[in-house]
Amino acid sequence: MNNSAQQIRQQFLDFFKSKGHQIVPSAPIVVKNDPTLMFTNAGMNQFKELFLGEATIKYPRVADTQRCLRVSGKHNDLEEVGIDTYHHTMFEMLGNWSFGDYFKKEAITWSWELLTEVYKLPKDRLYVTVFEGDDSEGLPKDQEAYDFWKAFVDEDRILLGNKKDNFWEMGETGPCGPCSEIHFDSRSDEERARVNGAALVNADDPLVIEIWNNVFMQFNRLKDGSLKTLPAQHVDTGMGFERLVRVIQQKTSNYDTDVFQPMIQFIAENAGIKYGEAEKTDIAMRVMADHIRAIAFAIADGQLPSNNKAGYVIRRILRRAVRYAYQTLGFKAPFLNQLVPILAQQFNGVFDELYAQKDFVQKVVLEEENSFLRTLENGISRFEKMEEISGEKAFELYDTFGFPIDLTELMAREKGLTVDMQGFEAELQKQKARSRAATAIDTQDWVIVNEGDETEFVGYDELESQAQILKYRKVTAKGKEQYQLVLDRTPFYAESGGQVGDKGLLIGEGEEVAVIDTKKENGLFIHFVAELPKKLEANFVARVNPLQRTSTENNHSATHLLHAALKMVLGEHVNQKGSLVNDEVLRFDFSHFSKLTDEEIKEVEGIVNEKVRANIPLKEERNVAYQQALDSGVTALFGEKYGDFVRVITFDDAFSKELCGGTHVKATGQIGYFKIVAESAVAAGVRRIEAITGAKAEAYIRQQDELLKHLKEILKNPQDLSKSVEALVEENSRLKKEVEKAVSEKASGLKDELKAKATAINGVNVIAEKVALPNAEAIKNLAFQLKDVVNNLVLVLAADIEGKPSLTVMISENIVKDRGFNAGNMVRELAKEIQGGGGGQPFYATAGGKNVAGLDAALAKAKTLVEA
Ligand code: ATP
Ligand code: MG
């Protein structure tokens, strides 16, 4: 195809390269370090700091293709996906940016040039929109943009739009500005002659769709809703790649392009249903082909499906797809996961993360499918038992069995039932309110103390520095107030890359404030304090707690050694999936499919400790060009966003070389000793190792040593501990057998003795005696044996078992039937004498109690009960 999706993407990048733009890689789809956003929802996300003036501009012109996800928060298209033909969960956004460089004129000129001259889209099918202004915000019409468009487009195809369509905002707060969209009319000439396309722009017509949005970034939306003018003006554009491919390939559905057809055809073949046969099955195929993209890229970028936050969003999308596959397409066994290899192949060379991890991703999807298919069936059988579907029941299906509410409704209709939707909504709101209350964080706007916006981080070289407060803000979470401080200079490492933030002190004029934690947010170093210093403008000394830092460094460097050792022992498929490093332990999650054997663990420990003893000096290189670092063979992590310049941490060039922003030991000897203390599974295909180092490892070994010593002492310091424990265990089991034998001999002796003591009362043979047997089991055996040899028996045995009274009643079945005797009732009555209680069956029952002295009275009572 001479206009394949691959080529169309490349033409976009080449075009903007020719206009002086730097081509940059996509950021991961999963967002870290930004509490306002779970997933990348637009190309501009990774440049947010540049718009806000919080970071230095390296390239004033940039272009890329960014993988985006719109399934939560301000931009949520999930309900449309698959039903319509142009909204996806995951899509590529092609974008070009100007950071304080060109503005409206160039943006408009170039977008027109690209669409009409490079892609040769027919001009008479294009419409553009311009912001009409908004009085309530005090914003004027965007006359400038209007005038630039006039140079290319007839005025009857330049349309004015309101704030909803023509003022773009990333989220509740953050960069925003007026925008100008480009729409494409793909209707037939006939239809176009009949109805003017202008009337269908932004009117949800599936054939007249927006393809590109040019945003002119001018403001920052603050928490109080007001707009603050940005320090400079920027251009942020976003073009939906799948929509662009569709209009260039002259299709009327994104799913008819070569982006989706390979997967759609694979699904259709396996389902034995043709795509295009029926709307219902078409939707199901579209949903599957779409959703697997969101799922696969989220997992490849490090977000595993789970039960909360971003992980739950992924799990829900996955279940939605599985439900369509199961119910509509008849896939009763896991199938979705089989789309992963096709997808990985398709994106190889574009987003390599997926191809590199395709086995892992497929395995995770398969496990998720398996587990949902289990609840899906259970849910269906639970549903079949329901006679009416209250809100609570619908919610149970949703919450416990993972049923989307629309599935419940559909199944209800089939059964001639309706769902109490209001009741369901109420339950859902209750749950939402619960989770909101648990996570609600109220963040105030920043208050400026000193000029400046960037923090100089000196913590790689120093643990103490002079500092001034630049700004602070108050945050309230779960009713607890805290303050966040930004300093002009700081030695405090901010939590990232799994390493916890530093703790320490901020020492001012005559006061000291404890820094409880340090975190990074959009590149800012944020110091958490419980109370603000009194003199905010003072000169401070910022001092990191050195002990905590050193122990943390031991664990971080050990993590690098562990990572390298795991690759050596298990293979190159080992990739980091998560890491936590603090001053107590290190926890390392990695892709691997089976439990580590004791041998493997020993081998890994051995390699790491050998590297510790070799006392390898740290090689730390700052500001290495990213590509150069990759070429030198560093381990880069999937799902991490790296800048153009990176820091490389090496312990022995041939062993461990990682991209890392963390703090490390000066030489590995400082780690002292490395000990793995746990190995477990965390998710499908992901193992976890927990380990300790330094003083912690020493304490652990000492503890083990003391335990051993103690054991030896108990055994009177034998020459060979293992042998004497084995002998002990053997002796113990031999003695046990002997005791059992003795007891059973004694019991059979007792049997004859008791049999002789049977007295006939009222036509039954009563035996009521105290026996000296050591446990309940032996008494029970005796009772059953007596029942076999004495007819018409009422047997009551009393015993003192290690100071506790016990009563057993056994009655022949014919006596139970003919005379209405009941062992359970009798034992309860007798138990009163020993201050206890019990029960059982009509022919056999037991009781325990507190008063051993009452046993004789109980036996006497037994006789009177039979006499009565
Ligand atoms: P629409 O109104 O069609 O939902 P939008 O106004 O939400 O689009 P923008 O936020 O301006 O879109 O995003 C820029 C471009 O990204 C759009 O012009 C469109 O081509 C594309 N786009 C937006 N949402 C999606 C989606 N869910 N799936 C595919 N492409 C999308
Ligand atoms: Mg939208």
Side-chain angles (χ1 to χ4, degrees), residues 70 75 77 86-88 91 93 168 210-213 238-240 243:
R70 291 198 169 178
H75 294 278
D77 295 332
Y86 62 108
H87 280 96
H88 303 296
F91 64 99
M93 196 185 275
W168 199 88
E210 176 187 329
I211 54 171
W212 201 351
N213 196 358
M239 174 149 62
R243 293 187 191 181

Side-chain angles (χ1 to χ4, degrees), residues 450 466-469 488 507-509 535-542:
N450 283 298
Q466 297 291 321
Q468 286 197 321
I469 297 176
D488 64 338
I507 304 158
E509 287 163 25
K535 281 196 208 152
L536 286 163
E537 302 82 10
N539 289 314
F540 291 90
V541 170

Side-chain angles (χ1 to χ4, degrees), residues 353-508:
E353 293 80 354
L354 187 56
Y355 193 81
Q357 302 176 88
K358 62 183 192 314
D359 295 343
F360 167 71
V361 173
Q362 183 170 7
K363 168 117 177 165
V364 173
V365 176
L366 172 65
E367 286 295 309
E368 278 287 311
E369 284 191 274
N370 273 325
S371 92
F372 183 52
L373 285 171
R374 277 197 290 274
T375 60
L376 194 59
E377 280 187 24
N378 289 343
I380 288 171
S381 73
R382 176 92 182 83
F383 174 87
E384 296 301 338
K385 292 191 194 102
M386 293 180 183
E387 273 154 20
E388 37 89 46
I389 302 171
S390 62
E392 270 171 37
K393 283 183 180 156
F395 185 75
E396 185 201 351
L397 285 173
Y398 161 84
D399 198 41
T400 311
F401 299 99
F403 274 43
I405 187 66
D406 53 344
L407 172 61
T408 306
E409 272 192 297
L410 178 73
M411 291 167 65
R413 260 201 309 274
E414 288 167 3
K415 239 179 131 183
L417 300 172
T418 51
V419 181
D420 173 9
M421 283 304 289
Q422 256 180 340
F424 174 78
E425 275 303 320
E427 291 294 322
L428 198 63
Q429 287 313 318
K430 264 193 247 167
Q431 188 200 41
K432 278 197 180 145
R434 277 196 299 272
S435 62
R436 247 201 312 274
T439 58
I441 299 176
D442 180 46
T443 309
Q444 304 287 309
D445 286 331
W446 289 108
V447 180
I448 306 291
V449 179
N450 283 298
E451 280 306 307
D453 241 324
E454 274 192 70
T455 305
E456 182 194 352
F457 175 63
V458 297
Y460 290 142
D461 306 303
E462 287 157 55
L463 292 185
E464 184 171 316
S465 80
Q466 297 291 321
Q468 286 197 321
I469 297 176
L470 294 180
K471 56 185 180 180
Y472 72 88
R473 69 181 175 190
K474 187 158 114 180
V475 290
T476 314
K478 293 184 192 157
K480 207 176 83 190
E481 283 183 3
Q482 279 190 334
Y483 291 87
Q484 302 181 339
L485 305 177
V486 175
L487 307 177
D488 64 338
R489 186 183 307 125
T490 186
F492 282 80
Y493 180 80
E495 177 183 322
S496 62
Q499 180 178 337
V500 293
D502 279 333
K503 298 183 173 72
L505 289 175
L506 204 56
I507 304 158

